[in-house]
Amino acid sequence: ERMSELGGITKGLRALLSAHGFHPSRLRGQNFLLDENILRAIVRDAEVAPGDRVLEVGCGPGTLTACLLDAGAEVLSVE
């Protein structure tokens, strides 16, 4: 299951962003979700079920997108 790999993905993403000198700017509204517990809670609390259609606005690096896909949702992401 991909959710079990999420911790490695978020840690790797943090390292990748840092290695390239990229730091999200709150002035620009950039708040990347990198905490796997929060990502899981969002999907759980939204009661996302297989086949649900989800519009994700501001998908950033795609961590929430991955969680939604793992839950079986059809996701349209718009940056």
Side-chain angles (χ1 to χ4, degrees), residues 17-18 21-34 61:
L17 293 173
S18 179
F22 185 80
H23 305 284
S25 167
R26 289 190 187 234
L27 286 173
R28 294 185 182 137
Q30 297 172 320
N31 296 287
F32 293 163
L33 289 171
L34 299 176

Side-chain angles (χ1 to χ4, degrees), residues 6-22:
L6 187 58
I9 292 170
T10 57
K11 287 177 188 171
L13 182 58
R14 286 175 204 239
L16 180 65
L17 293 173
S18 179
H20 291 279
F22 185 80

Side-chain angles (χ1 to χ4, degrees), residues 4-63:
S4 63
E5 298 173 6
L6 187 58
I9 292 170
T10 57
K11 287 177 188 171
L13 182 58
R14 286 175 204 239
L16 180 65
L17 293 173
S18 179
H20 291 279
F22 185 80
H23 305 284
S25 167
R26 289 190 187 234
L27 286 173
R28 294 185 182 137
Q30 297 172 320
N31 296 287
F32 293 163
L33 289 171
L34 299 176
D35 184 315
E36 63 184 287
N37 293 316
I38 293 173
L39 290 162
R40 288 186 179 122
I42 290 170
V43 173
R44 182 191 64 237
D45 293 348
E47 299 179 2
V48 176
D52 284 353
R53 292 182 178 167
V54 177
L55 172 63
E56 182 185 10
V57 179
C59 55
T63 51

